[in-house]
């Protein structure tokens, strides 16, 4: 039996845990002393010029990471709706430089994809194995990029390590 055909299960605690972890990855935890700041927080005070500057020559920019995560969340949303879009992961890294307007639109698009995924997770009464795995994968993936972006921002803003 494939994970597409796996039985559905309803565990409210599982859905709540997935939502909590997704919020942590993207928003962070400001209620417990701010011990972890999520991806959206990491991008908050980054200018378009900084987002367009590679921390090391030949590497991708903060804008590229942000677009890659936005695209990944868009794919996750499609999968949870039952769609199976054609995916070109290489294209998700093509955005390197952005104007102020493009940067604001990219961040707004990232937030919109996150809010859509959050709403789908909140409203899902049952889960299949593939849906749970997809959520966990996206939480881990987003948390990774949040950490990478935090380090890149330090470099492009001149803060060193």
């Amino acid at each position: 039996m494939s994970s597409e055909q796996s039985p559905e299960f309803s565990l409210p605690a599982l859905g709540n845990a997935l939502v909590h972890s997704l919020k942590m990855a993207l928003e962070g935890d400001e209620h417990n002393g701010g011990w972890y700041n999520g991806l959206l927080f990491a991008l908050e005070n980054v200018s378009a010029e900084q987002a367009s500057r590679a921390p090391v020559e030949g590497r991708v920019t903060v804008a590229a990471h942000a677009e890659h995560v936005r695209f990944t969340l868009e794919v996750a949303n499609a999968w949870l709706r039952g769609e199976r879009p054609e995916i070109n992961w290489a294209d998700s890294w093509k955005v390197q430089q952005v104007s102020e307007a493009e940067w604001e639109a990219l961040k707004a698009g990232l937030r919109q994809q996150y809010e859509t995924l959050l709403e789908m997770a909140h409203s899902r009464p049952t889960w299949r194995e593939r849906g749970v795995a997809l959520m966990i994968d996206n939480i881990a993936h987003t948390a990774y990029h949040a950490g990478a972006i935090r380090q890149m921002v330090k470099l492009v803003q001149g803060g060193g390590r």
Side-chain angles (χ1 to χ4, degrees):
M1 178 182 308
S2 76
S3 62
E4 294 281 328
Q5 300 167 330
S6 65
E8 291 184 339
F9 51 96
S10 176
L11 295 173
L14 173 64
N16 292 340
L18 291 172
V19 164
H20 173 77
S21 293
L22 183 63
K23 283 182 175 182
M24 285 292 291
L26 278 122
E27 295 178 36
D29 182 19
E30 61 192 50
H31 302 294
N32 286 319
W35 70 273
Y36 176 79
N37 295 316
L39 179 64
L40 296 173
F41 180 86
L43 297 174
E44 195 171 283
N45 295 312
V46 176
S47 70
E49 189 275 325
Q50 292 166 335
S52 299
R53 190 183 325 146
V56 176
E57 190 172 330
R59 304 300 275 182
V60 298
T61 64
V62 169
H65 276 266
E67 171 57 17
H68 173 71
V69 174
R70 188 211 59 76
F71 178 78
T72 302
L73 295 177
E74 181 181 347
V75 169
N77 286 323
W79 270 79
L80 287 175
R81 285 190 301 267
E83 301 166 12
R84 299 300 178 259
E86 288 192 34
I87 303 167
N88 184 334
W89 291 111
D91 283 352
S92 73
W93 290 100
K94 285 189 175 179
V95 172
Q96 293 293 322
Q97 278 76 42
V98 290
S99 67
E100 284 297 332
E102 291 167 331
W103 181 231
E104 292 307 315
L106 194 161
K107 291 189 296 183
L110 175 60
R111 179 170 287 283
Q112 178 59 47
Q113 292 302 324
Y114 159 60
E115 288 173 355
T116 299
L117 185 57
L118 191 62
E119 178 56 36
M120 279 200 275
H122 264 301
S123 64
R124 200 169 193 87
T126 60
W127 290 87
R128 291 190 186 274
E129 181 179 335
R130 180 65 190 124
V132 172
L134 182 122
M135 289 294 292
I136 292 170
D137 292 348
N138 274 277
I139 291 162
H141 179 257
T142 300
Y144 162 78
H145 284 283
I149 286 170
R150 278 195 299 277
Q151 295 307 308
M152 293 171 69
V153 166
K154 287 180 185 178
L155 292 171
V156 300
Q157 290 179 337
R161 320 176 0 150

